[in-house]
């Protein structure tokens, strides 16, 4: 029975990985045809309208900022030792969101995800070398018959951004957060090096529009040593570089 449960967990985990983009799709092959000027103008105006509505909703719901979020982690006991009351503080980090005028749509979506507790119980599941990736993936604290974590994001209509919002004032520098995939989300990543070229405009050319970029929406302002610690965790394979022991996101909280 235990073996059957392990097989079910592995199958679900494999399905979840297929549903997520890797966050580092840098294949150069793409027969991209730019939009005609009229269509590009319509697209730009639509994106601006989404940003305007998002900024209004963001300020009304969460205030003008700056907005900070505490992320509390639990490391698998197989990768760490219990150190008492100090453990909780040493297993958390704080991020500060981008300015509401620069990245209103993406910041609003992430804060909504936190507000609705969608990230509670999810995991950091991948150490790709240049990023640490988190998403709705199981960990050592997830019940064997636990619900599909991605369902929470889908049912809340907070699975991904409506467009690839990006600001040159917020590049993918070390210790910043970005949304993976097209459209970006639900997975996000923390850059462990300067990824401005790789994840900025034109950095990932195998997507439909290679001129787009991953949204960069926050930066780590406290607890960078926790990020550094995760970069040293063992991976289970050399291709996808899935962590051998996922790091549980116990909860996220808006400060």
């Amino acid at each position: 029975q235990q073996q059957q449960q392990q097989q079910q967990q592995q199958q679900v985990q494999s399905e979840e990985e297929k549903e997520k983009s890797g966050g580092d799709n840098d294949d150069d092959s793409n027969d991209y045809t730019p939009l005609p000027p009229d269509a590009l103008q319509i697209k730009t105006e639509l994106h601006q309208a989404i940003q305007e509505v998002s900024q209004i909703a963001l300020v009304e719901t969460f205030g003008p900022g700056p907005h900070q979020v505490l992320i509390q982690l639990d490391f698998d006991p197989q990768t760490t030792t219990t150190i008492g009351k100090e453990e909780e503080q040493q297993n958390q980090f704080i991020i500060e969101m981008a300015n509401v005028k620069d990245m209103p749509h993406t910041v609003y979506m992430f804060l909504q995800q936190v507000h609705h507790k969608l990230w509670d119980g999810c995991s950091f599941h991948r150490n790709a070398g240049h990023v640490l990736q988190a998403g709705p993936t199981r960990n050592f604290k997830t019940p064997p018959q636990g619900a599909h974590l991605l369902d929470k994001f889908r049912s809340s209509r907070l699975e991904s951004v409506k467009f690839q919002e990006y600001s040159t004032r917020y590049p993918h520098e070390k210790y910043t957060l970005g949304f993976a995939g097209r459209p970006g989300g639900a997975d996000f990543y923390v850059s462990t090096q300067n990824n401005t070229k790789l994840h900025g405009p034109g950095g990932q050319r195998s997507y439909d529009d290679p001129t787009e970029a991953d949204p960069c929406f926050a930066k780590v302002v406290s607890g960078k040593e926790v990020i550094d610690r995760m970069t040293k965790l063992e991976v289970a394979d050399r291709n996808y570089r899935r962590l051998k022991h996922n790091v549980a996101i116990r909860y996220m909280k808006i400060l």
Side-chain angles (χ1 to χ4, degrees):
Q1 184 178 2
Q2 184 177 3
Q3 184 178 5
Q4 184 179 4
Q5 289 179 346
Q6 290 176 345
Q7 290 175 344
Q8 289 176 343
Q9 286 180 305
Q10 291 174 354
Q11 182 179 0
V12 172
Q13 188 174 40
S14 176
E15 291 174 354
E16 289 174 343
E17 288 181 357
K18 290 178 182 178
E19 290 173 338
K20 296 189 294 282
S21 74
D24 56 358
N25 191 346
D26 55 358
D27 187 353
D28 288 336
S29 58
N30 189 336
D31 297 328
Y32 172 64
T33 302
L35 291 174
D38 290 348
L40 181 60
Q41 178 66 23
I42 294 173
K43 179 181 179 181
T44 300
E45 292 176 355
L46 178 60
H47 291 176
Q48 290 174 345
I50 294 174
Q51 287 182 305
E52 291 173 2
V53 172
S54 296
Q55 183 174 342
I56 293 172
L58 169 58
V59 174
E60 288 182 349
T61 307
F62 301 108
H67 307 92
Q68 292 189 338
V69 174
L70 183 146
I71 301 177
Q72 180 67 52
L73 306 178
D74 286 317
F75 285 79
D76 192 305
Q78 297 185 62
T79 65
T80 187
T81 56
T82 301
I83 54 178
K85 294 182 179 179
E86 295 181 358
E87 181 182 17
E88 182 165 323
Q89 289 185 339
Q90 294 189 12
N91 288 354
Q92 63 183 218
F93 62 97
I94 296 173
I95 62 174
E96 184 169 291
M97 312 305 292
N99 189 288
V100 297
K101 295 181 180 180
D102 294 331
M103 297 290 293
H105 172 57
T106 309
V107 169
Y108 181 54
M109 190 188 82
F110 187 82
L111 290 179
Q112 283 283 8
Q113 290 174 337
V114 175
H115 175 72
H116 290 285
K117 303 183 184 301
L118 301 184
W119 286 109
D120 297 7
C122 294
S123 307
F124 276 91
H125 60 85
R126 185 181 182 219
N127 179 8
H130 64 299
V131 297
L132 288 165
Q133 189 167 332
T137 303
R138 285 166 162 71
N139 55 67
F140 70 100
K141 301 184 74 174
T142 308
Q145 303 300 326
H148 197 307
L149 293 168
L150 188 57
D151 288 345
K152 299 189 300 180
F153 290 83
R154 288 174 172 167
S155 61
S156 301
R157 298 180 182 271
L158 293 169
E159 180 184 0
S160 60
V161 293
K162 302 305 180 186
F163 74 100
Q164 297 299 114
E165 186 177 40
Y166 185 77
S167 171
T168 56
R169 288 188 290 271
Y170 225 83
H172 290 274
E173 297 176 343
K174 188 175 181 179
Y175 298 118
T176 58
L177 279 68
F179 273 123
R182 297 291 185 276
D187 276 37
F188 71 88
Y189 55 83
V190 180
S191 287
T192 55
Q193 64 180 36
N194 190 325
N195 289 314
T196 301
K197 182 177 180 181
L198 179 60
H199 292 288
Q204 301 180 50
R205 304 193 62 81
S206 67
Y207 288 118
D208 291 341
D209 186 348
T211 66
E212 292 181 333
D214 289 352
C216 186
F217 61 89
K219 61 182 177 182
V220 179
V221 293
S222 177
K224 292 178 181 178
E225 65 277 5
V226 180
I227 304 300
D228 296 339
R229 179 182 173 188
M230 285 194 284
T231 65
K232 299 179 175 65
L233 294 178
E234 186 178 359
V235 297
D237 61 87
R238 294 184 179 181
N239 295 322
Y240 187 75
R241 297 187 61 84
R242 176 174 55 85
L243 285 176
K244 187 174 182 180
H245 302 287
N246 289 350
V247 179
I249 299 175
R250 189 193 305 178
Y251 62 83
M252 292 190 188
K253 179 174 67 174
I254 300 174
L255 299 179

